Amino acid sequence: MFRLRLYSLLVLLLAALPGFAASPPTPTPSALSQPLTVHFFDVGQGDAALVISPTGKTVLIDGGPPEARERLTARLKELVKGPLDLVILTHPHLDHLGGLVSAVRAVGARRFMDPGFDHPSEAYRDLLTFMGDTVSQVMTPEPSPSSAHGLLTIGLGEGVALTVFWPRMPKEPFLVGTRSDANSNSIVARLTYGKTAFLLVGDAEPDTEAALLQRSLNLTTTVLKVAHHGGKHSSTAAFLAAAKPQAAVISVGAKNDYGHPAPETLARLADVGAHVLRTDQEGEVVAASDGQSVTLRTHGGTGALLVLTGNVDPSPVTSAPATLTPVRPGRPGAAPPQPRGDNGGASPKAAPADSGTGPYVGLKGSKVFHRETCSTLKRSKSERTLYPNREAALRERRPAEDCHP
């Protein structure tokens, strides 16, 4: 076995560890406290972010690709004065795990968490072996049995809370049959401090976003770490409308081979009024929150300044009813996932089981889709694209406002 699985016991043990809690702490930031800081590192075509809480607790989320390991390690040595309290791998692709072994060797780590979604890559297996031999606890984000909503929340002191929204194994099965099952089961977490929040989504796919939207989760955020380096399929219009980000950070490599970030994604972010910051253009983005506002600087904290006023509810759940119909979940006994490549670049598959009555129709040159009965379609002679269900349409377009598909 490559992994030591510690489920409910470890989730409960977190509450007894210094600086960690199994339920949300009261968000009451002190006027004298240090800020909550999030460093979105420039690691090229990959992801790596470091959370430093007001009490000095540290969480490294992903480790970038192998070619950025030296840069990441050097930056961590500057910022981290002791072992990392927690290392999170959002999903088992090389552009997110490539620098983790070097990082932990350099500064140390106490705990390691990943989704527990099996992947056949040798690099992932080697990482699990290393973490099992090196850190004290290896775990998955199993929902807390003491929470009515089944969410794992880790307290980082001074009212800072990191709540994992997805995955929810074993309460809910993994998503399968998606463009990339490894991406779709990325750890999605919301970091809150006072009236500010950071939504960290790994390489979540449209299926992940739809699964989150159908639940009574509070997705509102001050800063969004954009999914899949700004790929065109993620960051759907419906998800962004629920998240309402004031700023969006895209971790992406300059002149990458994938066309990231996609023009469609940038357009959707512009539609919700998000200020976009890209690591390929602005270098490392540093965000500091005092619980009332978030200050963002580029180029490792020496560049342009942006101040955002916090206005979010820190509660992880909302009383608003779910609006989307269920997406296709994983099935017991389903075929094992196939490797998608180091950057999660799967070829699109047929859409999962219908998540809305179709077909839906998009017109050439338009960024929206319509119901088949929409009067707009009757007046137009433009070339049309048919989508078998709403989920497939959302991957490429946003709903039209005239027929509300």
Side-chain angles (χ1 to χ4, degrees):
M1 294 295 291
F2 289 91
R3 159 181 301 280
L4 174 62
R5 294 293 186 194
L6 304 176
Y7 289 107
S8 301
L9 177 60
L10 276 183
V11 173
L12 296 174
L13 282 177
L14 282 174
L17 294 170
F20 286 82
S23 59
T26 303
T28 53
S30 166
L32 300 177
S33 66
Q34 296 295 313
L36 165 67
T37 307
V38 183
H39 295 259
F40 297 96
F41 294 122
D42 177 12
V43 291
Q45 185 66 13
D47 268 22
L50 176 69
V51 175
I52 305 176
S53 81
T55 58
K57 298 300 176 185
T58 53
V59 181
L60 177 63
I61 303 175
D62 289 330
E67 56 268 26
R69 61 167 65 100
E70 292 183 4
R71 191 187 332 166
L72 174 64
T73 297
R75 195 71 178 106
L76 288 175
K77 286 181 176 180
E78 295 175 354
L79 298 169
V80 178
K81 305 308 178 186
L84 294 159
D85 290 288
L86 177 64
V87 175
I88 295 175
L89 173 63
T90 60
H91 65 291
H93 280 154
L94 193 59
D95 58 323
H96 291 248
L97 66 82
L100 286 181
V101 170
S102 296
V104 172
R105 280 178 175 156
V107 300
R110 295 187 174 93
R111 307 170 190 90
F112 172 75
M113 176 191 294
D114 87 319
F117 185 84
D118 288 333
H119 193 272
S121 80
E122 183 177 353
Y124 177 53
R125 299 291 181 177
D126 290 345
L127 175 68
L128 294 182
T129 299
F130 171 80
M131 290 297 181
D133 293 338
T134 305
V135 305
S136 299
Q137 297 176 352
V138 177
M139 58 185 297
T140 55
E142 181 175 334
S144 171
S146 63
S147 169
H149 299 283
L151 299 174
L152 170 63
T153 296
I154 299 172
L156 299 176
E158 287 288 323
V160 177
L162 182 68
T163 302
V164 178
F165 286 164
W166 188 261
R168 288 168 42 83
M169 283 286 288
K171 287 194 173 184
E172 295 183 35
F174 287 124
L175 296 171
V176 299
T178 68
R179 290 185 65 254
S180 168
D181 293 345
N183 284 347
S184 294
N185 293 293
S186 290
I187 288 179
V188 175
R190 184 172 182 254
L191 177 70
T192 56
Y193 184 38
K195 296 180 180 180
T196 66
F198 298 81
L199 190 58
L200 310 165
V201 298
D203 279 359
E205 291 278 337
D207 307 82
T208 323
E209 296 175 358
L212 295 172
L213 285 168
Q214 74 171 353
R215 294 159 177 79
S216 297
L217 296 173
N218 184 359
L219 299 171
T220 57
T221 188
T222 316
V223 179
L224 170 69
K225 199 295 293 182
V226 176
H228 207 185
H229 323 290
K232 69 178 181 179
H233 297 287
S234 303
S235 304
T236 59
F239 183 76
L240 294 178
K244 301 180 178 66
Q246 294 185 54
V249 178
I250 302 178
S251 184
V252 63
K255 299 179 181 179
N256 64 84
D257 295 333
Y258 305 93
H260 296 156
E264 300 95 323
T265 301
L266 295 175
R268 290 194 293 268
L269 289 167
D271 287 343
V272 296
H275 187 104
V276 174
L277 299 168
R278 297 167 46 170
T279 59
D280 63 330
Q281 296 178 348
E282 280 95 13
E284 178 185 327
V285 177
V286 182
S289 168
D290 61 4
Q292 301 298 317
S293 64
V294 176
T295 300
L296 295 104
R297 286 189 178 275
T298 59
H299 300 290
T302 63
L305 177 70
L306 175 67
V307 180
L308 309 172
T309 300
N311 59 2
V312 304
D313 178 356
S315 172
V317 295
T318 176
S319 58
T323 57
L324 293 188
T325 52
V327 297
R328 177 188 176 195
R331 306 180 305 279
Q338 298 300 312
R340 304 294 199 227
D342 293 337
N343 201 53
S347 299
K349 287 185 172 184
D354 196 4
S355 57
T357 302
Y360 294 95
V361 181
L363 296 176
K364 183 177 181 179
S366 172
K367 297 179 180 179
V368 302
F369 66 92
H370 305 262
R371 294 182 185 275
E372 191 178 26
T373 56
C374 181
S375 59
T376 298
L377 299 178
K378 297 178 181 178
R379 298 191 299 267
S380 176
K381 297 182 180 179
S382 297
E383 181 180 328
R384 304 183 179 198
T385 300
L386 295 180
Y387 299 96
N389 52 54
R390 191 173 190 274
E391 182 183 9
L394 282 171
R395 290 178 177 172
E396 298 182 357
R397 304 170 189 254
R398 64 178 185 271
E401 294 183 357
D402 51 358
C403 58
H404 301 289

